[in-house]
Amino acid sequence: MSLTKPKEITVRGIILGVLITLIFTAAQVYLGLKVGLTFATSIPAAVISMALLSAFKSATIQENNIVQTIASAAGTLASVIFVLPGLLMIGWWANVPFWPTFGACAIGGVLGVMYTVPLRRALVSQSTLPYPEGVAAAEVLKVGTSSRSGAAEGKAGLSAVIWGSLASALFAAFAAAKLMAGEVAIYFRAGQGATGIGASSSLALIGAGHLMGITVGIAMLAGLAIAWGILVPLMTSMNPMPALSAADHALGVWSREVRIIGAGAIGAAAIATLAGLAKPVIGGLRSAMAAARHAKTEGAVIERAEQDIPIFIVGLVTLIAMAPAGWLLASFLQDGVLAGLSVPLVAVGVGFILVAGIFAAAVCGYMAGLIGSSNSPVSGIAILTILGASLCVGMVGRHVMGPEVAHALIAFALFVTTVVLAVAVIGNDNLQDLKTGQLVGATPWKQQVALLIGVAAGSAVVPPVLELLNGAYGFAGAPNVNAISSTPLAAPQATLISTLAKGVIGGDLPWNLIGYGALIGLILVVINFVLKKASHDKYSLPPLGVGLAIYLPSAVTAPVVVGAFGGWFYERAVSKRTWGEPAKRMGVLIMSGFIVGESLFNVALAGLIVSTGTGEPLAIANGLSEGQTMIVATLLGAGLVIALYRWAATNARRVHV
């Protein structure tokens, strides 16, 4: 910190950051397609960087910060898969083309950085926003580089990520080999109706729950109770089907009706959440512009720790980026039924990316400061964006509307939304990283350049991983699916977004179910407001978390709830110890390893499926019954989680001084 110009951007740091980005992006793409959730990669990237760069005496905390900044792009840019698979689901694409996908991610990512550069002073350096994940990443960097015990913790942290990864990969391999059940589930009759619950055998989901925390875990538990304890039994009783099994009856009604109610709840909660942020976001923008004017009129030399990419370059890059954005949209429409409307559609698309992108980046950036990147309601931004894009492009093509035109307009709206979502999530990430940088004495413009490098690396890896998974598993409901495996990926967020686009442009949304869901969402907003007010912000029930648990399959949300409660019990158990904080950090790294290991194993398994042409290449014939495989999954999963929590506590005690 005493150095006026510390070593920051280095060749070794860039190479390490890009390698971590490639690995984590692949993991994030799989996790997002399976469960509709992603995780923040800054902290595990920082730990890996510190452990590896500690071999160099010249390594600095700022250099480690640049590595985590590059790698953090993986945790955010992968969120484009919340929209992109919709183009496969509606049958517009049969395969994932590299250049259009790369272009949408890269252009959106570059704009996300540019749009948030003017916001840094107002929302980071002159703001009281807590930035929970940015502060946590800075603390990890400070601890890991400030002392011998910190260096020891850095090495132990790398071991935690590795052991967590190996454990979850082994667990996933047992499921792939059919030596244990892929899902532990029970369904039963409830009078004339039916209900039940399922939980995927996934340590990655346990890890995701731990990282999300107890507040989100309780919200998801409430969503499970509403969906499977109230709505499914009620709606199956209203439509009895005695010929079907309890599982088929319950799951059928959930997928056709309850899920749509969940979508309405998410939409209402998202709009209410974003409306509450309007005033502080507008205030932040005004403050940013005032700071820029002040700096210009004062003409003072700007300190290194306050140097952004010059605003002239920001404006120039933004304008230049509109040219490839327009070309990308025009090439998407080329030779199709909308070729005659390409000029007005491209104009509307570019204008929407420019305006909606600025709004999305500002809102997401503010939310990153308020509640962190992982908890930021990106789903809400995606819902509002697809609704806006669908209305805009639908108005352009309204006079020539027909089945083929509607199909093409839906695809175009999804593609435009992909670009805007990339803007939003990278804007979210940029401000979070800049907070970390502020706390460790980094140079803002160097971080902004580093994030652009991460955007390029992440954009290059998203298309091939997405196509590999498409070839191996395919996506639920895709008409052109020619996947080898018989178990397609659910891609729940993309399903929701494409359903909304079809409903708005085609005019066939089940508005009654959406309305019921919106009512539930508004009630949840009121409950959350009252709870926060009564407890002076100590307790909350995030309505988006509740809505998401109604919308997502219980197989996804139940393990997340278990992970959230497991993490809460673990952190309570170690919190009163002198080595409690290192133990908590070690637990976070093991859970990050859970996500990385299982996700990478399944990406590798996808490669094996494609190369062998076999849907279940690792399956081993055995005489275990379904019930026995569920018992094996439960016992093995619980054993691994408990053993690694104990390992984390033991090693935290060992490295603590």
Side-chain angles (χ1 to χ4, degrees), residues 44 75 98 110 117 181 236 264 327 356 360 416 500 516 522 562 594 609 624 632:
F98 179 85
V110 168
V117 167
T236 50
W327 176 83
V416 170
L500 290 173
Y516 297 145
L522 292 174
V562 171
F594 276 0
I609 290 170
L624 293 172
V632 171

Side-chain angles (χ1 to χ4, degrees), residues 295-335:
K296 190 173 182 180
T297 53
E298 291 288 317
V301 176
I302 301 173
E303 293 180 18
R304 177 186 63 79
E306 288 294 326
Q307 293 174 2
D308 292 297
I309 294 175
I311 200 71
F312 168 75
I313 294 176
V314 169
L316 187 63
V317 170
T318 301
L319 287 174
I320 290 172
M322 292 302 126
W327 176 83
L328 192 69
L329 297 181
S331 62
F332 188 84
L333 297 169
Q334 195 174 8
D335 301 327

Side-chain angles (χ1 to χ4, degrees), residues 171-426:
F171 194 65
F174 262 72
K178 302 298 179 184
L179 296 175
M180 68 178 208
E183 182 179 329
V184 177
I186 179 169
Y187 294 94
F188 50 87
R189 294 285 174 196
Q192 293 272 296
T195 191
I197 196 162
S200 178
S201 303
S202 168
L203 291 186
L205 294 177
I206 299 285
H210 179 115
L211 296 178
M212 287 177 193
I214 190 65
T215 300
V216 176
I218 291 171
M220 286 197 156
L221 180 61
L224 280 175
I226 292 169
W228 298 93
I230 300 172
L231 295 177
V232 170
L234 180 65
M235 298 174 88
T236 50
S237 297
M238 291 164 61
N239 186 20
M241 294 184 179
L244 291 180
S245 67
D248 288 342
H249 192 191
L251 289 169
V253 167
W254 171 81
S255 63
R256 288 191 307 271
E257 300 177 27
V258 174
R259 190 172 206 182
I260 305 299
I261 292 173
I266 291 172
I271 292 167
T273 302
L274 298 178
L277 292 171
K279 186 177 178 181
V281 166
I282 292 168
L285 287 168
R286 284 177 178 162
S287 177
M289 289 187 283
R293 284 196 301 270
H294 179 71
K296 190 173 182 180
T297 53
E298 291 288 317
V301 176
I302 301 173
E303 293 180 18
R304 177 186 63 79
E306 288 294 326
Q307 293 174 2
D308 292 297
I309 294 175
I311 200 71
F312 168 75
I313 294 176
V314 169
L316 187 63
V317 170
T318 301
L319 287 174
I320 290 172
M322 292 302 126
W327 176 83
L328 192 69
L329 297 181
S331 62
F332 188 84
L333 297 169
Q334 195 174 8
D335 301 327
V337 295
L338 296 176
L341 291 173
S342 60
V343 172
L345 280 174
V346 168
V348 166
V350 169
F352 190 79
I353 289 167
L354 187 65
V355 177
I358 292 171
F359 171 78
V363 171
C364 265
Y366 184 87
M367 289 191 291
L370 198 63
I371 54 178
S373 299
S374 297
N375 294 325
S376 185
V378 172
S379 299
I381 294 290
I383 288 168
L384 294 180
T385 303
I386 192 60
L387 291 174
S390 299
L391 288 169
C392 289
V393 303
M395 286 170 65
V396 173
R398 186 71 63 196
H399 64 286
V400 290
M401 190 65 77
E404 287 188 3
V405 171
H407 188 224
L409 287 172
I410 291 163
F412 187 69
L414 288 169
F415 196 63
V416 170
T417 299
T418 300
V419 180
V420 175
L421 190 62
V423 175
V425 295
I426 291 297

Side-chain angles (χ1 to χ4, degrees), residues 430-443:
N430 189 27
L431 292 176
Q432 193 78 259
D433 286 337
L434 288 169
K435 182 63 180 182
T436 303
Q438 180 201 19
L439 295 172
V440 300
T443 309

